[in-house]
């Protein structure tokens, strides 16, 4: 074997170091998502077993509402942070994180107040859950903002530790909530433990959120932020509309059944919700260092998720009823009928996230917004149309078809963007 020349060694070493660094960041990203997935899965299972189908449906309505607010915060505060401040100098990152986290905290305070008012006005079974959610939103959104900040800096280990702190704090909080036995108690326990992790994030980063910098942050990044806001809200808003519509067409218990089926694929859904923590930052790095590899990176990312989701769904079909009832209690019998369509939907969404990461790394907010709006419209039509025709099962199959179609739209947009990028030398994303 011919030994490498000195020049070859100099070329190979940085490439090998870059690959090891990428593997390290992705490993911490996977570890963080595993911690987040386990926490979300445990919360859902514990609440489902403790409250039953109908009360679990109420908790699920609060959960999907939180998803909408979370995506408002991400669109305005943390998505621009990941796109524009991944791999920058420490001073630039710290200043951006102070303003970005302050923006997230401000969004939580403003929308949390609205949720409290709405909850008090609604009353009944649903009202207290929304009122408690409003109180907890600032802590929930700040905790999520720290995760984005750490991944933008390539410090995934800190994000993982922060999620572990949340998970540890959840244990005693959930035990207390179970003794109280109300949806509101579980919402407070879930949000309160997130607030513990949010405070810990301040110590981890050594940064205090600057709410006074929110206006400056929104002004500086309005070219991305407002488009990402619409994109994110259309995504989570479609889920919320589907949940509310399903509750109106079939009943609140149907929302609990769908949520139960989704919990069975919880690890993948949690990864999809927070995927941009890792993938957009890494796609931005690939774009800066080797633009010609971005398409392959996105394909491997999306394809890997889709295959993993299909394998997990196939394994769920082999679970005996006794095992399923042990996990979900009375929710299992109805939720198990939705495993196939929900699996296909998650696989389709996983495939689409690869293209979405590429579009965001390229700063193509206009194209990603167009893709998301089309996908969201398909999701609502499929979910509610299916519910009107065939109830809960019909809604699940309608969503599966819509998600696969939406994924195709994402990839067509990425393909067109990459072609334009290579032909016309589109400028790289700004790195302040």
């Amino acid at each position: 074997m011919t030994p490498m020349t000195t020049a070859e060694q100099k070329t190979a070493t940085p490439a090998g170091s870059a690959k090891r660094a990428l593997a390290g960041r992705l490993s911490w990203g996977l570890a963080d998502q595993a911690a987040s997935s386990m926490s979300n899965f445990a919360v859902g299972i514990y609440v489902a077993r403790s409250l039953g189908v109908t009360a679990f449906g109420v908790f699920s309505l609060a959960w999907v509402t939180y998803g909408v607010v979370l995506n408002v915060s991400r669109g305005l505060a943390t998505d621009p942070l990941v796109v524009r401040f991944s791999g920058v100098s420490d001073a630039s990152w710290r200043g951006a994180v102070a303003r970005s986290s302050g923006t997230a905290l401000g969004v939580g305070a403003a929308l949390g107040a609205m949720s409290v008012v709405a909850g008090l006005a609604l009353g009944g079974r649903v009202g207290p859950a929304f009122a408690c959610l409003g109180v907890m939103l600032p802590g929930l959104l700040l905790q999520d903002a720290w995760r984005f900040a750490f991944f933008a800096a390539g410090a995934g280990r800190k994000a993982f530790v922060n999620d572990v702190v949340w998970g540890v704090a959840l244990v005693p909080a959930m035990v207390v909530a179970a003794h109280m036995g109300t949806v509101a108690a579980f919402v407070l326990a879930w949000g309160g433990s997130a607030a513990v992790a949010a405070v810990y994030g301040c110590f981890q980063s050594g940064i205090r959120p600057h709410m006074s910098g929110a206006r400056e942050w929104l002004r500086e990044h309005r070219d991305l932020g407002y488009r990402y806001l619409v994109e994110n809200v259309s995504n989570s808003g479609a889920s919320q509309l589907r949940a509310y519509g399903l509750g109106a067409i079939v009943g609140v218990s149907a929302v609990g059944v769908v949520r139960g089926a989704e919990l069975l694929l919880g690890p993948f859904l949690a990864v999809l919700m927070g995927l941009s923590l890792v993938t957009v930052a890494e796609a931005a790095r690939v774009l800066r260092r080797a633009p010609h590899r971005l398409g392959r990176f996105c394909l491997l990312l999306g394809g890997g998720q889709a295959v993993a989701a299909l394998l997990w769904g196939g394994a769920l079909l082999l679970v005996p009823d006794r095992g399923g009832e042990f996990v979900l209690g009375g929710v299992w019998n109805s939720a198990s009928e939705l495993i196939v369509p929900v699996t296909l939907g998650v696989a389709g969404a996983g495939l689409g996230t690869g293209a979405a990461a590429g579009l965001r790394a390229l700063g193509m907010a206009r194209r990603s917004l167009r893709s998301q709006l089309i996908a969201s419209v398909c999701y609502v039509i499929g979910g509610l149309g299916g519910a009107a025709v065939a109830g809960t099962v019909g809604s699940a199959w309608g969503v599966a078809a819509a998600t696969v179609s939406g994924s195709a739209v994402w990839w067509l947009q990425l393909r067109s963007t990459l072609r334009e990028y290579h032909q016309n030398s589109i400028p790289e994303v700004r790195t302040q």
Side-chain angles (χ1 to χ4, degrees):
M1 181 175 179
T2 304
M4 288 192 296
T5 65
T6 303
E8 289 173 331
Q9 290 175 345
K10 289 182 178 179
T11 302
T13 301
S17 299
K19 289 181 179 180
R20 286 192 296 271
L22 171 61
R25 289 191 298 269
L26 290 177
S27 296
W28 280 116
L30 290 173
D32 175 71
Q33 292 302 333
S36 177
S37 300
M38 290 302 295
S39 295
N40 291 334
F41 183 74
V43 169
I45 295 301
Y46 200 71
V47 175
R49 289 180 58 85
S50 301
L51 299 180
V53 175
T54 302
F56 184 56
V58 174
F59 181 85
S60 299
L61 289 176
W63 184 282
V64 297
T65 303
Y66 156 71
V68 175
V69 177
L70 179 66
N71 279 297
V72 170
S73 175
R74 288 181 174 180
L76 294 176
T78 50
D79 282 342
L81 176 76
V82 172
V83 170
R84 287 182 167 160
F85 294 91
S86 292
V88 300
S89 67
D90 183 68
S92 179
W93 174 81
R94 293 180 71 84
V97 169
R99 299 193 302 277
S100 173
S101 59
T103 302
L105 195 58
V107 169
L111 297 184
M114 294 173 60
S115 182
V116 170
V117 172
L120 295 176
L122 284 171
R125 297 178 108 178
V126 177
F130 278 80
C132 292
L133 175 65
V135 174
M136 295 294 105
L137 278 177
L140 284 162
L141 298 190
L142 181 58
Q143 191 275 338
D144 187 71
W146 291 131
R147 298 173 70 210
F148 273 81
F150 293 141
F151 277 109
R157 179 181 60 84
K158 291 186 177 180
F160 169 74
V161 172
N162 194 274
D163 268 325
V164 169
V165 169
W166 185 3
V168 171
L170 263 173
V171 176
M174 283 288 142
V175 172
V176 173
H179 283 297
M180 298 181 69
T182 65
V183 175
F186 279 105
V187 173
L188 288 174
W190 165 55
S193 53
V196 172
V199 172
Y200 180 65
C202 297
F203 291 99
Q204 283 181 291
S205 63
I207 298 173
R208 182 172 60 87
H210 292 168
M211 291 181 65
S212 59
R215 181 176 298 178
E216 178 187 357
W217 178 264
L218 294 174
R219 183 176 62 253
E220 287 181 351
H221 306 286
R222 61 181 178 274
D223 57 326
L224 294 182
Y226 292 118
R227 280 181 172 152
Y228 286 157
L229 168 65
V230 176
E231 179 184 329
N232 289 354
V233 171
S234 68
N235 180 21
S236 55
S239 298
Q240 189 176 30
L241 286 175
R242 187 254 185 133
Y244 290 169
L246 184 61
I249 295 171
V250 183
V252 175
S253 61
V255 181
V257 171
V258 170
R259 176 62 184 155
E262 292 173 345
L263 276 174
L264 296 173
L265 285 104
F268 298 99
L269 290 173
V271 167
L272 291 177
M273 286 180 62
L275 198 61
S276 58
L277 292 171
V278 181
T279 56
V280 176
E282 293 305 327
R285 288 186 175 94
V286 172
L287 178 64
R288 292 187 179 101
R289 297 170 181 171
H292 62 285
R293 295 179 179 174
L294 181 61
R296 184 172 62 179
F297 173 83
C298 295
L299 182 60
L300 289 173
L301 173 68
Q305 290 231 32
V307 171
L310 291 173
L311 291 174
W312 183 273
L316 288 175
L317 294 174
L318 303 177
V319 174
D321 287 339
R322 181 176 299 177
E325 290 170 359
F326 175 78
V327 174
L328 287 179
V331 180
W332 165 258
N333 289 332
S334 300
S336 61
E337 298 178 3
L338 308 183
I339 290 176
V340 173
V342 169
T343 298
L344 293 176
V346 173
L351 183 61
T353 55
L359 286 175
R360 290 202 164 189
L362 287 160
M364 292 290 102
R366 178 176 57 84
R367 285 186 178 272
S368 62
L369 174 60
R370 181 188 307 160
S371 302
Q372 186 57 64
L373 289 176
I374 293 172
S376 296
V377 170
C378 291
Y379 184 94
V380 173
I381 292 175
L384 298 186
V389 173
T392 308
V393 175
S395 180
W397 278 106
V399 164
T403 305
V404 173
S405 300
S407 178
V409 172
W410 279 105
W411 277 101
L412 289 172
Q413 290 293 321
L414 178 62
R415 182 182 179 185
S416 298
T417 302
L418 287 174
R419 186 184 297 117
E420 293 175 5
Y421 182 88
H422 294 304
Q423 289 177 350
N424 304 322
S425 300
I426 297 175
E428 290 189 37
V429 185
R430 184 175 64 185
T431 57
Q432 298 180 357

